[in-house]
Amino acid sequence: YEIKECDWSSDVCSSDLKYWLVYFKFCHHSIYRSGEKSMRILYFILGAGIGTSLRFLIVNHLKSWTEFPAGVLTVNVFGSFILGLTSAISSDSAYLSFGFCGVFTTWSSFLLEINNDLNQGRKNSALWHTISTFTLGLLAAWIGIKLRA
């Protein structure tokens, strides 16, 4: 990263807008990264924003239907499929996919749901959730890889 002094006579510190990544109007410095890498970061951030919003909607919607953590299972399996499908992409759009799947899938919520099931005496639910997440996740990733080929 290159740190440059802000030119307070303009709204933008950089004269070249296509390389502008982050600009803090109320701070003394801005952080820049030029070239394709800045676009990759932006794609990643965009994917993450979409992924976290979609995960929130799916998990909360399915939570109202059942006590079983179907929302967490759904996002983890679908995220595995998307990663399998896009894992060989080497273009900038891969960063969109990785940002999306990185926040869409949720290892921590998966473990928290299993822990909650175990603490509430629902051992069968915890076991079913664990087996189904790993089995369906691997199967979904494999299907994504096969469809990609």
Side-chain angles (χ1 to χ4, degrees):
Y1 287 100
E2 183 178 313
I3 299 176
K4 297 182 179 179
E5 285 287 324
C6 288
D7 175 14
W8 294 104
S9 63
S10 69
D11 275 344
V12 181
C13 292
S14 174
S15 61
D16 191 355
L17 287 176
K18 75 177 185 178
Y19 296 124
W20 178 61
L21 177 60
V22 178
Y23 174 69
F24 298 99
K25 188 168 184 143
F26 299 108
C27 73
H28 185 59
H29 292 94
S30 291
I31 302 173
Y32 299 90
R33 179 126 178 146
S34 63
E36 293 178 10
K37 291 184 181 181
S38 63
M39 287 308 296
R40 289 177 180 166
I41 292 169
L42 289 175
Y43 286 138
F44 187 87
I45 291 169
L46 177 64
I50 295 168
T52 193
S53 301
L54 194 57
R55 179 184 72 198
F56 176 80
L57 292 172
I58 292 170
V59 169
N60 285 322
H61 179 70
L62 292 177
K63 194 180 280 188
S64 65
W65 288 12
T66 178
E67 203 172 277
F68 182 77
V72 174
L73 175 64
T74 301
V75 298
N76 285 338
V77 171
F78 184 67
S80 297
F81 171 74
I82 295 297
L83 276 178
L85 192 62
T86 61
S87 62
I89 296 174
S90 61
S91 68
D92 289 345
S93 61
Y95 288 86
L96 181 70
S97 172
F98 297 150
F100 173 82
C101 291
V103 299
F104 183 68
T105 59
T106 171
W107 181 253
S108 57
S109 292
F110 166 67
L111 294 177
L112 180 64
E113 294 291 348
I114 291 171
N115 187 52
N116 288 342
D117 281 345
L118 292 173
N119 287 338
Q120 294 173 6
R122 297 188 306 246
K123 293 178 183 174
N124 287 339
S125 178
L127 182 63
W128 168 246
H129 191 195
T130 302
I131 291 170
S132 61
T133 296
F134 284 106
T135 304
L136 295 174
L138 287 170
L139 180 63
W142 180 80
I143 290 170
I145 291 167
K146 290 298 179 186
L147 287 176
R148 179 189 71 220

